[in-house]
Amino acid sequence: WSSDVCSSDLAMKKLIVLCCTLFTIYANGDFINKSKSIIQDNKRNFLWQDTKEVKTIKRDFTEAVSYCKDLELDGIKGWELPNLKQLFTIVNTKKYNPAIYEEFKNINPDTYWTSKLFSRGASNDAYTITFKTGSLYRRNMNDKFFVRCIKTK
């Protein structure tokens, strides 16, 4: 019994360290409106899609990856589905419903895909972030969620 408790405590400590590290490293971007369709994060050199589709169209994981790959905004190509760390950079942990920075105008406080696979995809699950709370979840890749694409410079 005591070894189970110790391993659970260790797992919880690792999770807390991971969350604190993500918050410290990736919090507080420097966001500006580059155009009606794009938000720029000057701190990290990221461009974020901010179009109507971000809050209105749900896609499964495969559709989300393809959508970002094919996206062209303001003549800019080379978009991708953000990884977990990247998507977390737009979570505003000081806000609730939606937990996102105010520069983003097109938001649904629901669930958005990241490109991070759970168990390297063996479980057919990937990670998502819900912008009502900024929480991280593991979801089946056949489920449909919202997509916000990123362009890294």
Side-chain angles (χ1 to χ4, degrees):
W1 179 80
S2 64
S3 65
D4 290 340
V5 170
C6 290
S7 65
S8 295
D9 288 344
L10 181 60
M12 183 56 76
K13 287 177 185 177
K14 286 181 180 181
L15 180 61
I16 290 169
V17 168
L18 174 65
C19 290
C20 290
T21 301
L22 280 173
F23 177 73
T24 303
I25 293 172
Y26 293 99
N28 303 322
D30 177 19
F31 301 106
I32 61 165
N33 293 315
K34 182 175 174 70
S35 72
K36 288 183 179 181
S37 303
I38 299 173
I39 303 294
Q40 182 170 326
D41 180 347
N42 290 323
K43 184 175 180 182
R44 293 172 197 86
N45 264 347
F46 294 163
L47 298 178
W48 288 99
Q49 173 194 14
D50 195 36
T51 61
K52 182 180 173 185
E53 292 83 6
V54 166
K55 65 179 181 180
T56 58
I57 301 174
K58 291 184 176 185
R59 295 173 167 85
D60 68 28
F61 184 83
T62 303
E63 292 168 340
V65 171
S66 295
Y67 170 74
C68 289
K69 182 182 174 192
D70 296 338
L71 184 64
E72 181 176 341
L73 287 176
D74 298 344
I76 300 171
K77 297 179 181 181
W79 297 85
E80 58 190 5
L81 191 62
N83 66 37
L84 179 60
K85 291 177 185 176
Q86 291 166 335
L87 192 59
F88 192 79
T89 66
I90 65 173
V91 171
N92 185 342
T93 57
K94 296 175 184 171
K95 288 184 70 184
Y96 173 79
N97 197 17
I100 192 169
Y101 289 94
E102 63 189 23
E103 289 82 2
F104 292 87
K105 302 302 180 208
N106 291 291
I107 182 66
N108 187 317
D110 204 337
T111 305
Y112 285 75
W113 283 115
T114 76
S115 63
K116 176 71 175 157
L117 302 179
F118 183 81
S119 298
R120 298 186 180 142
S123 66
N124 201 41
D125 290 346
Y127 287 100
T128 61
I129 292 179
T130 298
F131 280 92
K132 182 174 184 178
T133 61
S135 300
L136 167 71
Y137 293 95
R138 169 185 160 190
R139 304 291 184 161
N140 185 284
M141 295 190 314
N142 294 318
D143 293 341
K144 293 189 181 249
F145 299 110
F146 293 105
V147 180
R148 184 181 299 274
C149 304
I150 187 172
K151 167 78 172 145
T152 56
K153 293 184 176 181

